[in-house]
Amino acid sequence: MSSAKTLYLNLKEISEVHSRDVYLRDVADVYCSDQNIQNRCVSMKIKTVRAEGKHRYVENALDIIRKLEAENPQIQVNNIGKVEYIIDYQPPHPPHLLWQWAKTIFVCVLCFCGAAFAIMTFNNDVSVKDVFREVYLLIMGKEAAGPTILELSYSVGLAIGILVFFNHFAVWKLNTDPTPLEVEMRLYEDNISKTLIQESGRKEQDVDIT
């Protein structure tokens, strides 16, 4: 093995593919000091999707390592990525821009109305209006005849605070940090991947209470 070439394999946790023939380059980054070996390895077919429709497959890195070493006994594979990974097969289809925009608008309206309702119920629960009335009376020495600068400042400050917290407005960001929404989406995707991998090893013959 002294003359063996080392091939570094970095498997991604989940990879979306649109072709039924899945190649190593679709699911992993590969590096070898010998460019010819690297080119042959990344072009190796690792799976053929036969099911119809969308499907997710949980695979193991050992299967790829066996295929690589059987294909070229002169290489030594060093896996620096995931041991178990997911192939997310999405059949190719033309983009439905109208439907995508409709879903986006619906989600935006739903989130806006939900957030507005939550803010209103919170303000009503803690009696923000009464607090402002008392503060105005203490400072000005008289009852407020209508909306005051306190309500205006609170409304503007609330909007600015939301923009600063979420670090995102249209295509602009205040800094390069990921937004809280991006963090939550990444955690959600990670939890889905971990659940799929854990469930793939279970026979589902008994009641799962763990």
Side-chain angles (χ1 to χ4, degrees):
M1 293 296 294
S2 59
S3 61
K5 295 287 186 179
T6 302
L7 181 77
Y8 295 94
L9 181 67
N10 185 14
L11 284 163
K12 306 168 189 175
E13 186 170 44
I14 183 168
S15 301
E16 181 177 315
V17 298
H18 301 280
S19 174
R20 291 186 177 274
D21 293 329
V22 183
Y23 297 90
L24 184 58
R25 62 174 174 267
D26 297 326
V27 300
D29 295 322
V30 179
Y31 172 76
C32 182
S33 58
D34 190 323
Q35 190 65 38
N36 293 328
I37 294 177
Q38 178 177 323
N39 292 338
R40 289 200 302 269
C41 290
V42 296
S43 301
M44 186 185 70
K45 185 190 297 186
I46 61 173
K47 188 178 186 64
T48 299
V49 177
R50 304 191 183 280
E52 298 293 335
K54 301 178 181 179
H55 199 78
R56 286 175 173 171
Y57 301 91
V58 178
E59 306 289 338
N60 196 289
L62 292 177
D63 297 330
I64 292 181
I65 294 175
R66 293 191 189 100
K67 291 180 180 179
L68 287 171
E69 294 184 345
E71 185 76 18
N72 192 339
Q74 297 181 350
I75 64 173
Q76 181 179 3
V77 182
N78 186 0
N79 181 31
I80 60 175
K82 299 294 182 179
V83 175
E84 292 177 303
Y85 64 99
I86 300 170
I87 297 175
D88 184 10
Y89 173 67
Q90 301 285 337
H93 56 79
H96 303 287
L97 297 180
L98 182 61
W99 174 239
Q100 293 176 358
W101 274 105
K103 291 191 295 183
T104 302
I105 294 174
F106 173 76
V107 171
C108 290
V109 172
L110 187 65
C111 292
F112 177 82
C113 294
F117 181 77
I119 293 173
M120 288 187 293
T121 53
F122 168 78
N123 291 338
N124 185 66
D125 186 51
V126 299
S127 301
V128 173
K129 185 177 180 180
D130 294 337
V131 173
F132 285 160
R133 184 184 300 111
E134 292 294 332
V135 171
Y136 187 87
L137 178 61
L138 290 174
I139 296 176
M140 304 302 294
K142 61 179 181 180
E143 293 282 349
T148 66
I149 189 65
L150 295 176
E151 286 84 0
L152 177 63
S153 301
Y154 176 75
S155 301
V156 174
L158 183 64
I160 294 175
I162 292 174
L163 293 178
V164 172
F165 175 77
F166 283 100
N167 185 29
H168 194 275
F169 181 75
V171 296
W172 299 283
K173 293 179 65 175
L174 299 178
N175 52 55
T176 57
D177 295 338
T179 67
L181 183 60
E182 291 172 339
V183 173
E184 290 299 323
M185 290 298 296
R186 176 58 61 186
L187 290 174
Y188 175 73
E189 291 175 356
D190 289 343
N191 289 335
I192 288 180
S193 299
K194 291 177 182 177
T195 301
L196 289 172
I197 291 173
Q198 292 173 357
E199 291 295 323
S200 67
R202 296 178 178 175
K203 301 299 182 182
E204 299 297 340
Q205 295 177 349
D206 301 321
V207 177
D208 182 10
I209 60 174
T210 59

